Amino acid sequence: MPKYKLVCFDVDGTLIDNVTFSWQVFHDHFQTDRHRREDAKNRFFNGEITYKEWAEHDINLWRERNAKKPEFLKAIGHLRLMEGAMETLHELKKRGIKLAVISGSLNILLEKFIPNFEEFFDDVFLSRIYFDEDGSISKVEATEYDLDGKALALRKIAKREGISLKDCVFIGDYLNDLKIMQEAGLGIAFNCEYEELKKAADVVIEKKDLREILRYIL
Ligand SMILES: [Mg+2]
């Protein structure tokens, strides 16, 4: 029997390499207004708007630039699937472990790098953008489960599945993973440059190969 029952992954910098914030990648690509972005960010951190509203605000900036799907794909052309990601997902799945994505990233990244991601992950928490036939953004579903909200998503899945938090694993790379890292029974800092997160983690993996996590989980 595996030691753990649920394994949750972050996306940017964890399942996908060459990126810390996918949102920033798109802002850079579409050259959105930094001041308006800063303003929305400050309003969020001052508690004036929700995370969802902040996300929708920023996606609207892309809309205003008439951002089309092929451009989104071009913007992430330099990103890569993390080394060992597919082997790791297959192995965990084979052992009957539940898998989840808990991320503030965007569906378009996962769709590009793991097109069959819905087959692997029992739960997927991330922001979603949908496109119409001419490639324009038709619909947006922003997640509420980024930052400290990631821990809420973990609790939600664990409760529904009747799994104790101590039997849950989380793997992430950045400071928005701090809270969920503390709550998961096993917190793994992976591809991480932030001391605060490394300190909160039970395991720190320096080698950039996701297969390295398996020895701690199985
Ligand atoms: Mg990340």
Side-chain angles (χ1 to χ4, degrees), residues 10 12-14 20 173-174 177:
D10 168 53
D12 296 352
T14 303
T20 305
D173 70 313
Y174 187 67
D177 299 319

Side-chain angles (χ1 to χ4, degrees), residues 145-200:
Y145 300 98
D146 195 4
L147 304 161
D148 287 358
K150 286 192 167 198
L152 297 179
L154 170 65
R155 275 189 242 147
K156 199 170 158 159
I157 303 170
K159 189 175 174 200
R160 192 195 66 216
E161 298 296 327
I163 298 173
S164 157
L165 284 178
K166 71 172 172 31
D167 295 328
C168 299
V169 182
F170 179 78
I171 303 114
D173 70 313
Y174 187 67
L175 297 171
N176 62 339
D177 299 319
L178 198 55
K179 183 106 188 216
I180 188 171
M181 189 75 80
Q182 289 162 338
E183 293 210 11
L186 178 68
I188 303 179
F190 177 83
N191 186 30
C192 175
E193 292 171 5
Y194 302 88
E195 283 310 314
E196 210 182 334
L197 189 73
K198 287 185 185 178
K199 272 197 205 117

Side-chain angles (χ1 to χ4, degrees), residues 87-88 91-92 210-218:
E87 295 87 340
T88 302
E91 190 60 33
L92 293 171
L210 262 181
R211 282 167 289 200
E212 293 290 310
I213 70 172
L214 292 172
R215 72 178 83 178
Y216 302 100
I217 298 173
L218 300 177

